[in-house]
């Protein structure tokens, strides 16, 4: 279920049946929270409850998803979570799992994400086999009349885009509401299509209990103030019909009041606010009280890599493949013979190896099956048989997991929200969303800001969702150059002025377990030293709100994708992926970098000049610009004078690796080189962290484009001039 905040506590208590004492305790600010994070206001929180259906005597699991004040933003998340539940339960007809979305009238017709979500409802890889939408139609939006908030007669007219039946019902008549709800349920169950219930009602108070609505709707609220509430109207009706007596009715009211009073007394006796507000519990995933496991190698046996590569490059013998694709697959086979991989092959090996480990992988986004830049080709199309396709990565072995790769609708907000919801269901899966260009991801900024970057801090909700954002300056203009890394880095939660320290064993537990543990630890003899396998790298990954990377090699991509599933916890991963590097002859990796015993390297030192006391300058960079720098260095004959170091993982910042690398160049100055403008990209994030890593013993100089309002120039010649200028600045001693 998903809904805005109006009426949320009512739904939590009376529909999900969340214990009332837990709800009341949440309002006591004196109670110490029992979990980490900044938390959220009560009417944004979600829950997961089991409720007995007395009619069928079966237990129903009800999940109410946490939602910020961005009203309809939760819609696609609920749909993604529902689809995931259906997928893992094998519920292809939606008979075991369904979604219910509750809306306000002004938001339902006013917010575009409603349309985007409807638009997903019948797509093969996004359908949830019908959603029941309940619109709480107060006939007003905060202070705005319907005549000023929509252009259609009804607030529910947007549902006509998918031909959904719309039931308008008087909310003062609960029996009519029940009848309509039964019809809607039967419709959804029979046809697996969306339907809408329009509860025509009113808002008795203002936007909140102390708001004065008569400032702006005087006539409307004169009428509402004279109107009896729905409970009184229904009481008079059933008493007059002889269904119950007035005394029997009053006894039911008193019975519920007593339930509330008892729950309030229990709440006042609690010392901690319960942390049972998680909308997606991962049963069996978290080992409460256990220390973190050390980072594991993410390398794979070479025989398996070769097997996946061969399968990926070989279509069925009777498949009519396009001649151009035959060349592509032949080139892949040639690379395998040389024990090399390019970007597409490295990605396929990561996905294929996870599938063979029985880990489900889902890749979604615009044009992802082929790839925006025609590099991926995970779905092959027969050139002579209509709608006949072959998906090589689903034919690796008989006992592999299913690989879902699906082109999405032309939506970022809706589809990214959907994939986030999908990732929330099963931690032992890899869910990836790829933007057509990284520039377009800001259309989904609400999902990024309100859910992905802060979801764990606000709602104790983890997600291992991966965002692939094509990024790189190649003269394609301001809307096809930048995935806006500066925005993701600004939202990162690490401290630029403090080098993290490894916490003692047990410090990663919940607060309740940790306080108990630390008390015991503090009482030990002073000479007892705790032994921990937790590295600084692992500590940082555990503590950060998300991971931001710009990989420069296929091996880095291979390892960082596999690492997502190998950790004891889940964090969102933002990867700025290349465009021109997809076919760059130097952007290749050897099997030696991906086989057993290997792992992701946060920093790649210069192999030409691993250490030097005579080097005067060290260049640090990330991503594609590395290849521009090495080409320029080679042309100037400076390979033995200027080391170039790549930072593959920008956040959390590799303080320890930067310190180690700079120890190899004791007399060198430092330059950070980026292709983005100075007020964008990575500079404002990395500069203070470099200074902290080196204890302010050395300065770091910026090299790159000047500050700019737009992310890139639209003039090809100007682009080339800017590139030549900052490359010259970088090579100048």
């Amino acid at each position: 279920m998903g809904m805005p905040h109006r009426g949320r506590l009512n739904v939590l208590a009376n529909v999900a049946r969340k214990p009332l004492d837990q709800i009341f305790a949440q309002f006591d600010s004196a109670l110490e929270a029992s979990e980490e994070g900044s938390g959220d206001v009560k009417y944004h929180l979600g829950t997961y409850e089991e409720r007995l259906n007395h009619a069928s005597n079966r237990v129903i699991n009800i999940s109410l998803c946490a939602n910020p004040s961005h009203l309809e933003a939760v819609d696609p998340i609920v749909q993604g979570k529902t689809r995931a539940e259906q997928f893992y339960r094998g519920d292809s007809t939606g008979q075991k799992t369904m979604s219910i979305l509750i809306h306000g009238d002004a938001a339902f017709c006013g917010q575009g994400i409603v349309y985007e979500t409807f638009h997903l409802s019948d797509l093969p890889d996004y359908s949830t086999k019908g959603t029941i939408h309940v619109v709480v139609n107060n006939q007003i939006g905060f202070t705005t009349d319907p005549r000023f908030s929509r252009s259609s007669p009804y607030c529910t007219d947007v549902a006509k885009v998918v031909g959904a039946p719309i039931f308008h019902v008087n909310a003062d008549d609960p029996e009519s509401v029940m009848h309509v709800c039964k019809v809607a349920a039967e419709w959804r169950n029979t046809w697996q299509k969306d339907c809408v219930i329009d509860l025509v009602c009113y808002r008795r108070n203002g936007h909140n209990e102390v708001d004065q609505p008569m400032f702006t709707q005087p006539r409307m609220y004169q009428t509402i103030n004279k109107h009896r509430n729905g409970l009184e109207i229904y009481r008079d009706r059933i008493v007059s019909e002889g269904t119950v007596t007035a005394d029997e009715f009053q006894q039911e009211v008193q019975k519920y009041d007593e339930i509330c009073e008892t729950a309030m007394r229990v709440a006042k006796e609690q010392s901690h606010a319960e942390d049972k507000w998680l909308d997606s519990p991962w049963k069996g995933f978290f080992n409460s009280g256990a220390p973190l496991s050390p980072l594991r190698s993410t390398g794979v046996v070479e025989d398996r890599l070769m097997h996946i590569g061969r399968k990926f490059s070989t279509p069925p013998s009777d498949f009519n493949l396009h001649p151009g694709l035959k060349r592509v697959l032949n080139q892949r086979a040639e690379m395998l013979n040389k024990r090399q991989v390019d970007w597409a092959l490295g990605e396929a090996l990561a996905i294929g190896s996870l599938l063979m480990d029985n880990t489900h992988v889902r890749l979604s986004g615009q044009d992802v099956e082929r790839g925006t830049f025609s590099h991926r080709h995970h779905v092959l199309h027969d050139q002579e048989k209509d709608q006949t396709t072959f998906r090589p990565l689903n034919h690796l072995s008989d006992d592999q997991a299913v690989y879902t790769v699906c082109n999405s609708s032309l939506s970022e907000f809706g589809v990214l929200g959907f994939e986030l919801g999908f990732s929330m269901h099963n931690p032992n899966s890899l869910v990836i969303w790829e933007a057509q260009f990284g520039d377009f991801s800001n259309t989904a900024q609400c999902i990024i800001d309100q859910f992905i970057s802060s979801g764990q801090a606000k709602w104790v909700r983890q997600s291992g969702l991966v965002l692939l954002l094509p990024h790189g300056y190649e003269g394609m203009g301001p809307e096809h150059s930048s995935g806006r890394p500066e925005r993701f880095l600004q939202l990162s939660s690490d401290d630029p002025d403090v080098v993290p320290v490894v916490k003692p064993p047990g410090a990663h537990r919940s607060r309740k377990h940790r306080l108990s543990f630390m008390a015991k630890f503090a009482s030990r003899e002073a000479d007892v030293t705790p032994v921990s396998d937790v590295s600084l790298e692992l500590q940082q990954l555990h503590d950060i709100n998300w991971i931001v990377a710009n990989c420069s090699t296929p091996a880095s991509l291979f390892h960082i994708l596999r690492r997502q599933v190998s950790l004891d916890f889940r964090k969102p991963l933002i990867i700025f992926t290349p465009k021109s590097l997809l076919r760059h002859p130097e952007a290749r990796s050897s099997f030696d970098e991906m086989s057993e015993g290997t792992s992701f390297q946060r920093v790649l030192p210069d192999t030409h000049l691993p250490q030097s006391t005579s080097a005067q300058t060290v260049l640090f960079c990330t991503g594609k610009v590395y290849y521009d720098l090495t080409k320029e260095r080679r042309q100037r004959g400076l390979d033995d004078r200027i080391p170039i170091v790549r930072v593959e993982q920008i956040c959390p910042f590799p303080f320890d690796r930067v310190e180690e690398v700079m120890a190899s160049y004791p007399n060198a100055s430092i330059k950070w080189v980026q292709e983005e403008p100075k007020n964008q990209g990575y500079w404002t994030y990395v500069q203070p962290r470099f200074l902290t890593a080196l204890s302010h013993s050395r300065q770091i100089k910026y090299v790159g484009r000047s500050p700019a309002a737009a992310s890139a120039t639209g003039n090809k010649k100007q682009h080339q001039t800017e590139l030549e200028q900052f490359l010259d600045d970088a090579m100048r001693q």
Side-chain angles (χ1 to χ4, degrees):
M1 297 177 64
M3 66 177 298
H5 38 282
R6 184 171 304 284
R8 191 180 195 88
L9 297 178
N10 188 6
V11 171
L12 283 167
N14 296 316
V15 179
R17 292 292 170 90
K18 184 169 186 64
L20 290 173
D21 59 285
Q22 292 181 18
I23 296 176
F24 293 151
Q26 197 69 21
F27 281 85
D28 188 348
S29 58
L31 295 183
E32 184 181 10
S34 57
E35 263 300 345
E36 294 297 326
S38 55
D40 201 350
V41 293
K42 291 73 183 165
Y43 45 83
H44 289 170
L45 299 174
T47 194
Y48 183 93
E49 300 289 341
E50 294 181 347
R51 177 175 174 180
L52 179 66
N53 182 343
H54 293 282
S56 64
N57 201 34
R58 298 178 67 181
V59 172
I60 301 174
N61 296 321
I62 299 177
S63 173
L64 178 64
C65 289
N67 189 33
S69 290
H70 296 59
L71 300 179
E72 302 292 342
V74 78
D75 295 357
I77 291 168
V78 169
Q79 301 299 67
K81 193 173 186 299
T82 304
R83 174 72 185 209
E85 179 86 35
Q86 292 172 346
F87 174 84
Y88 292 112
R89 293 182 62 152
D91 183 14
S92 60
T93 59
Q95 297 297 302
K96 300 177 181 177
T97 305
M98 67 173 290
S99 54
I100 299 175
L101 290 174
I102 304 174
H103 314 266
D105 51 316
F108 194 68
C109 63
Q111 298 197 353
I113 189 58
V114 174
Y115 172 81
E116 290 189 34
T117 305
F118 268 119
H119 199 49
L120 297 173
S121 65
D122 212 23
L123 301 184
D125 290 298
Y126 301 86
S127 172
T128 58
K129 309 304 177 184
T131 296
I132 294 180
H133 300 263
V134 180
V135 179
V136 181
N137 185 356
N138 288 324
Q139 306 178 70
I140 189 173
F142 202 163
T143 66
T144 305
D145 290 339
R147 55 186 167 166
F148 299 115
S149 65
R150 64 174 185 262
S151 298
S152 59
Y154 296 97
C155 64
T156 52
D157 285 339
V158 65
K160 294 178 180 178
V161 72
V162 293
I166 302 169
F167 304 100
H168 306 278
V169 59
N170 178 5
D172 264 350
D173 184 352
E175 292 187 10
S176 293
V177 172
M178 285 298 299
H179 174 72
V180 163
C181 288
K182 289 179 180 178
V183 173
E186 290 176 10
W187 169 276
R188 185 264 171 197
N189 206 45
T190 302
W191 304 107
Q192 286 86 53
K193 301 287 186 180
D194 286 26
C195 58
V196 178
I197 299 169
D198 179 18
L199 292 177
V200 182
C201 50
Y202 60 92
R203 187 188 67 193
R204 180 159 294 277
N205 299 303
H207 188 67
N208 56 52
E209 289 78 0
V210 297
D211 189 40
Q212 177 51 268
M214 292 192 69
F215 289 160
T216 50
Q217 278 77 30
R219 296 294 300 277
M220 181 181 190
Y221 273 86
Q222 288 171 14
T223 302
I224 289 174
N225 289 337
K226 298 174 185 176
H227 188 73
R228 290 184 304 158
N229 68 45
L231 183 61
E232 293 173 347
I233 294 172
Y234 188 61
R235 176 199 61 196
D236 292 349
R237 173 181 164 183
I238 59 177
V239 169
S240 65
E241 292 173 348
T243 305
V244 297
T245 66
D247 288 342
E248 289 172 334
F249 187 92
Q250 190 58 37
Q251 287 173 11
E252 291 297 317
V253 173
Q254 291 175 351
K255 189 185 299 183
Y256 190 76
D257 285 344
E258 290 171 3
I259 291 172
C260 292
E261 290 295 338
T262 301
M264 177 64 80
R265 287 193 294 271
V266 173
K268 289 181 177 180
E269 295 171 359
Q270 296 183 15
S271 60
H272 284 77
E274 289 292 330
D275 56 0
K276 298 176 182 177
W277 294 87
L278 188 60
D279 55 23
S280 304
W282 290 341
K283 295 179 180 178
F285 180 75
F286 298 110
N287 185 4
S288 179
L292 293 175
S293 301
L295 285 170
R296 306 173 183 89
S297 166
T298 46
V300 175
V301 179
E302 185 167 331
D303 287 347
R304 175 166 284 195
L305 293 176
M306 192 64 74
H307 170 80
I308 297 167
R310 297 290 186 212
K311 290 285 188 180
F312 182 56
S313 308
T314 309
S317 57
D318 60 345
F319 198 83
N320 302 296
L321 198 62
H322 189 281
L325 275 182
K326 288 181 181 178
R327 290 193 298 272
V328 171
L329 298 189
N330 288 336
Q331 289 168 0
R332 289 175 178 171
E334 291 173 7
M335 277 191 288
L336 291 170
N337 291 334
K338 298 176 182 177
R339 301 178 64 252
Q340 287 187 339
V341 298
D342 62 4
W343 201 269
L345 196 48
E347 178 190 70
L349 293 179
I351 292 172
S353 59
L354 289 172
L355 295 172
M356 293 189 72
D357 291 338
N358 207 29
T359 298
H360 171 241
V361 180
R362 177 182 170 94
L363 172 60
S364 164
Q366 296 159 25
D367 312 299
V368 297
E369 295 177 5
R370 190 202 75 167
T372 301
F373 311 102
S374 195
H375 70 289
R376 182 173 286 126
H377 301 294
H378 284 192
V379 179
L380 306 179
H381 293 258
D382 194 296
Q383 298 298 298
E384 297 181 10
K385 301 174 186 176
D386 187 36
Q387 299 185 35
T388 299
T389 61
F390 179 71
R391 301 171 185 243
L393 292 177
N394 267 327
H395 298 272
L396 302 176
S397 67
D398 294 335
D399 58 350
Q400 70 169 85
V402 173
Y403 176 43
T404 305
V405 54
C406 46
N407 290 340
S408 73
S409 63
L410 201 67
S411 156
E412 286 83 28
F413 193 165
V415 176
L416 179 57
F418 187 98
E419 301 309 330
L420 175 61
F422 201 104
S423 75
M424 287 160 46
H425 178 74
N426 181 9
N428 299 310
S429 63
L430 183 67
V431 180
I432 306 171
W433 176 77
E434 182 177 63
Q436 191 179 72
F437 282 82
D439 313 60
F440 305 152
S441 67
N442 58 11
T443 308
Q445 200 69 45
C446 176
I447 298 294
I448 294 168
D449 289 350
Q450 310 308 132
F451 293 89
I452 300 177
S453 73
S454 55
Q456 183 174 358
K458 293 192 294 187
W459 307 316
V460 205
R461 173 205 285 166
Q462 293 193 21
S463 166
L465 179 66
V466 179
L467 276 64
L468 301 181
L469 306 179
H471 173 90
Y473 283 60
E474 283 119 1
M476 297 180 68
E479 273 73 55
H480 295 83
S481 297
S482 177
R484 299 287 187 174
E486 65 279 359
R487 294 185 177 174
F488 293 90
L489 294 172
Q490 184 190 39
L491 291 169
S492 299
S493 61
D494 58 337
D495 191 332
D497 303 317
V498 177
V499 177
V501 295
V502 177
K503 297 174 183 176
H508 305 94
R509 305 172 182 182
S510 67
R511 177 174 294 179
K512 183 167 57 179
H513 285 99
R514 190 172 67 252
L515 291 175
S516 173
F517 173 85
M518 293 305 290
K520 294 177 182 177
F521 180 76
S523 66
R524 293 180 180 180
E525 295 296 327
D527 60 348
V528 176
T529 304
V531 178
S532 173
D533 291 323
V534 177
S535 63
L536 178 61
E537 177 183 2
L538 180 59
Q539 182 77 64
Q540 287 184 281
L541 290 171
H542 177 271
D543 293 347
I544 199 69
N545 61 322
W546 59 14
I547 304 161
V548 181
N550 189 345
C551 300
S552 64
T553 71
S556 288
L557 177 70
F558 170 85
H559 285 297
I560 202 169
L561 289 177
R562 286 183 52 80
R563 189 182 71 177
Q564 275 296 93
V565 183
S566 72
L567 297 171
D568 288 348
F569 47 86
R570 295 291 176 261
K571 300 288 178 175
L573 170 61
I574 318 300
I575 307 179
F576 296 98
T577 54
K579 294 171 288 184
S580 61
L581 294 191
L582 297 174
R583 295 175 177 82
H584 197 293
E586 294 182 18
R588 295 191 177 181
S589 296
S590 164
F591 276 12
D592 293 336
E593 301 169 63
M594 305 160 66
S595 56
E596 279 185 298
T598 59
S599 59
F600 178 71
Q601 301 300 308
R602 294 168 293 155
V603 172
L604 294 177
D606 193 316
T607 55
H608 290 285
L609 197 61
Q611 58 183 11
S612 172
T613 57
S614 60
Q616 298 180 12
T617 303
V618 177
L619 305 182
F620 278 85
C621 65
T622 187
K624 179 193 76 72
V625 74
Y626 167 78
Y627 295 93
D628 296 324
L629 289 169
T630 55
K631 179 182 177 181
E632 187 72 16
R633 182 179 67 174
R634 187 165 53 247
Q635 290 176 347
R636 296 189 182 210
L638 298 174
D639 282 352
D640 60 347
R641 296 177 60 186
I642 301 180
I644 304 176
V645 182
R646 286 168 279 179
V647 180
E648 301 287 281
Q649 177 183 290
I650 303 129
C651 171
F653 189 75
F655 290 96
D656 52 332
R657 293 291 291 120
V658 167
E659 184 181 16
E660 290 171 11
V661 168
M662 286 311 299
S664 300
Y665 310 103
N667 301 315
S669 61
I670 309 171
K671 292 180 180 178
W672 173 263
V673 186
Q674 66 178 41
E675 54 186 356
E676 300 82 3
K678 188 175 185 179
N679 60 321
Q680 300 170 37
Y682 320 92
W683 170 243
T684 55
Y685 178 85
V686 301
Q687 190 231 7
R689 289 165 176 81
F690 266 100
L691 296 177
T692 300
L694 302 173
S695 303
H696 291 262
S697 60
R698 307 194 205 186
Q699 293 301 307
I700 178 169
K701 181 182 177 182
Y702 168 81
V703 176
R705 288 179 166 87
S706 300
S711 59
T713 177
N715 184 292
K716 188 76 173 181
K717 184 177 180 181
Q718 177 64 22
H719 162 79
Q720 190 62 33
T721 300
E722 292 172 354
L723 175 62
E724 293 171 358
Q725 182 176 337
F726 80 71
L727 289 177
D728 183 64
D729 290 344
M731 296 299 150
R732 193 176 298 128
Q733 296 290 301

